[in-house]
Amino acid sequence: MRNRLRRAADAALALLVRGLFALLRALGPDRSAAFGAALARGIGPWLPVHRTALDNIRQAFPELPPAGHARIAREAWDNLGRTAAEYPHLDRLWDFDLEAARPGRIRIAPEVAARFLQLREDGKPALIFAAHLANWELPAIAAARHGLPAAVLYRRPNNPFVARDIVALRSGSMGRLIPAGIEAPLRMMEALDEGLHVGMLIDQRFGRGPRVPFFGRPAAANPLVAHLARRFDCPVHGARAIREPDGGFRLELTEAILLPRDARGRVDVEAATALLNRIVEGWVREHPGQWLWMHRRWR
């Protein structure tokens, strides 16, 4: 009986989410993003996780006054609301055209576009790491729209009905989707064996990982990218989206990262994981209001 009730509750919630997504879809990308931002700014500060966000921000930026901490938290809620409201528009957000006379919603510098194309044409597998910045789904969409053979690790929502809808939204705009879980490393290795470009977010707490410095404090980090780089000896790139004041996005892709190696010439997993987290920290410092501070990164 308990399982039936839970399943019924999950189905009812999924219907509510589906209706909300239909409403946001009708509003269009810009109005739905503004609606999501206003809703998150209004509700977010009243939630318990707001205290987590403020504590994280205070410890990351001790030099700022309380008003500065509150401003970053407010911007983070704004960004989270926009990102959530943009989910029904994943297939509409992408309008990049390198030959266009005027930039659209998506902006990519010519040298960055050239790196995407080089990855597509070199016939080699690669690893791409990203973080919960701006709309973090966009790097995976960029890969698909550039014809880059790719696989993306994602966390499946606990609600199976919502998970099915989210996967349907993502699958139309991204490459192969690999659900996080015990089989994920194997699926990622299979993708690399096939020559795909495998992407994942690396800025969440991973309790079984090495503790590396992140904003001056030790944080348990996910070493999977470093482990895979060590096993396949393939290039590692960082990708991020930056939300711009006019509602557009600037996408960036780094050159291949030179990872530290041990005395035998193999990738040093802990040192490489620390390096990738330093890069993410640099990204967050550039645009602190666009990161997901509500996550308990330093538990």
Side-chain angles (χ1 to χ4, degrees):
M1 178 62 71
R2 188 180 298 114
N3 288 338
R4 288 188 189 133
L5 289 173
R6 184 182 300 114
R7 188 171 178 82
D10 285 346
L13 178 60
L15 283 174
L16 181 63
V17 171
R18 201 170 298 154
L20 178 60
F21 274 19
L23 172 62
L24 293 173
R25 182 86 175 174
L27 288 175
D30 295 323
R31 286 190 295 172
S32 62
F35 171 76
L39 190 64
R41 288 196 311 269
I43 296 175
W46 297 96
L47 301 177
V49 291
H50 186 66
R51 292 193 296 272
T52 299
L54 281 175
D55 183 60
N56 287 339
I57 295 165
R58 275 194 296 265
Q59 297 203 55
F61 298 100
E63 72 281 5
L64 291 181
H69 301 147
R71 174 184 55 79
I72 292 173
R74 186 169 57 252
E75 291 174 357
W77 282 115
D78 182 286
N79 181 73
L80 180 59
R82 289 180 187 276
T83 301
E86 286 161 351
Y87 261 97
H89 306 286
L90 288 179
D91 60 338
R92 296 183 184 181
L93 288 179
W94 196 266
D95 64 355
F96 175 70
D97 181 358
L98 190 60
E99 305 300 325
R102 298 177 58 186
R105 186 189 308 277
I106 305 297
R107 298 90 189 250
I108 304 177
E111 64 272 18
V112 175
R115 285 183 204 135
F116 272 110
L117 296 176
Q118 184 179 0
L119 280 176
R120 187 185 71 184
E121 302 299 333
D122 65 11
K124 302 175 184 176
L127 289 156
I128 301 173
F129 67 93
H132 289 86
L133 283 159
N135 187 319
W136 50 85
E137 306 287 356
L138 287 177
I141 296 175
R145 291 298 180 95
H146 276 273
L148 188 73
V152 181
L153 182 70
Y154 78 101
R155 184 186 179 281
R156 186 163 30 201
N158 294 331
N159 185 316
F161 301 100
V162 172
R164 183 180 59 198
D165 291 344
I166 293 293
V167 168
L169 285 170
R170 283 173 162 158
S171 61
S173 305
M174 302 179 187
R176 181 184 304 176
L177 297 174
I178 300 175
I182 193 168
E183 293 186 358
L186 178 59
R187 301 284 88 81
M188 294 170 78
M189 286 190 285
E190 290 173 348
L192 290 167
D193 273 331
E194 294 174 34
L196 300 185
H197 303 79
V198 176
M200 67 174 290
L201 300 163
I202 65 166
D203 57 334
Q204 290 185 297
R205 181 181 182 275
F206 186 77
R208 300 188 303 278
R211 295 175 67 80
V212 303
F214 194 64
F215 281 94
R217 290 188 286 164
N222 194 326
L224 185 52
V225 168
H227 274 297
L228 291 172
R230 177 177 176 135
R231 181 182 181 94
F232 287 86
D233 200 21
C234 61
V236 176
H237 298 260
R240 64 167 169 165
I242 299 168
R243 193 181 294 275
E244 300 201 301
D246 64 354
F249 297 92
R250 177 159 44 95
L251 267 69
E252 295 185 350
L253 177 73
T254 71
E255 297 279 6
I257 306 297
L258 185 62
L259 298 179
R261 294 178 179 263
D262 60 22
R264 298 173 59 185
R266 300 179 302 174
V267 170
D268 184 320
V269 170
E270 185 165 346
T273 301
L275 172 59
L276 300 186
N277 276 265
R278 284 199 301 275
I279 292 170
V280 170
E281 179 182 328
W283 292 346
V284 177
R285 287 188 180 277
E286 286 182 46
H287 301 281
Q290 299 189 22
W291 193 55
L292 195 66
W293 290 100
M294 304 78 174
H295 175 59
R296 294 178 62 197
R297 185 72 171 84
W298 291 275
R299 273 181 290 171

